[in-house]
Amino acid sequence: MAEGKTLVHKFWNVIRFNGGPWGTFLKYCRGIEPKMGTLVGEDQFGNKYFENNKYYMSRNRWVEYNEKPKDPAFGYFHFDASQIPPDWHRWMHHMTDTPPSQKPLPKQKFYMEHQPNYSGLNRAYTPFTTTPKKIQEWEPTNSSTQAKNH
């Protein structure tokens, strides 16, 4: 019976950590599994990074994307893994044990500001061509259509 009490207690702790029943419901609607852990840090885009070492190795670090991102291309239901900056990507994939909030990466002069991938969105890169067409489309003129009618 004691195991059942601890299981119910853990369940309600997770519900409470995720903003109560309504917050947990909204996370499920967004496709996010409600978890409980310690806040490790936040990046410049407002994404929050958590860790709980009681979970399995590949599931013990996770990100909660900003609900109101600065970029209008991304919204409440549209979030993408490319929104994670490289320094936090290192930590998320266990390339380092210390998060960038505790030990930031040294800035190099060749580093660029992080931009998410816009593929599939209205701001996606579309290349243009500078070469002329190899095949010209045939467009019928009025004189040829009139000759067929007579």
Side-chain angles (χ1 to χ4, degrees):
M1 186 69 182
E3 290 179 18
K5 285 184 180 181
T6 59
L7 187 62
V8 171
H9 185 68
K10 286 180 184 179
F11 172 76
W12 283 111
N13 282 342
V14 171
I15 297 291
R16 200 173 306 122
F17 181 81
N18 288 290
W22 182 249
T24 306
F25 173 74
L26 290 177
K27 284 194 178 187
Y28 271 122
C29 289
R30 257 183 115 185
I32 300 171
E33 177 186 351
K35 294 182 178 181
M36 190 171 79
T38 58
L39 178 66
V40 176
E42 188 172 338
D43 64 12
Q44 66 266 26
F45 302 113
N47 302 327
K48 296 178 183 177
Y49 298 89
F50 294 90
E51 182 175 31
N52 186 346
N53 288 326
K54 292 181 181 177
Y55 294 133
Y56 293 113
M57 178 71 167
S58 62
R59 299 179 59 86
N60 65 340
R61 296 177 181 175
W62 68 93
V63 60
E64 288 186 4
Y65 296 98
N66 189 359
E67 294 178 2
K68 297 175 184 162
K70 296 174 187 172
D71 194 345
F74 296 99
Y76 183 75
F77 286 107
H78 184 79
F79 47 89
D80 190 73
S82 69
Q83 292 176 270
I84 300 176
D87 47 352
W88 282 101
H89 179 270
R90 288 180 66 228
W91 179 77
M92 289 281 297
H93 291 273
H94 298 278
M95 294 180 199
T96 181
D97 290 332
T98 57
S101 58
Q102 294 176 3
K103 185 180 176 187
L105 286 175
K107 297 293 179 192
Q108 302 290 339
K109 62 182 177 181
F110 53 84
Y111 282 176
M112 296 174 59
E113 186 177 335
H114 176 72
Q115 291 184 349
N117 185 3
Y118 293 110
S119 295
L121 300 174
N122 57 355
R123 293 181 54 195
Y125 172 74
T126 52
F128 65 94
T129 181
T130 57
T131 59
K133 292 182 179 180
K134 295 182 181 178
I135 301 173
Q136 299 295 328
E137 297 91 7
W138 176 75
E139 294 184 17
T141 59
N142 289 337
S143 60
S144 64
T145 55
Q146 289 175 355
K148 288 183 181 179
N149 291 339
H150 288 353

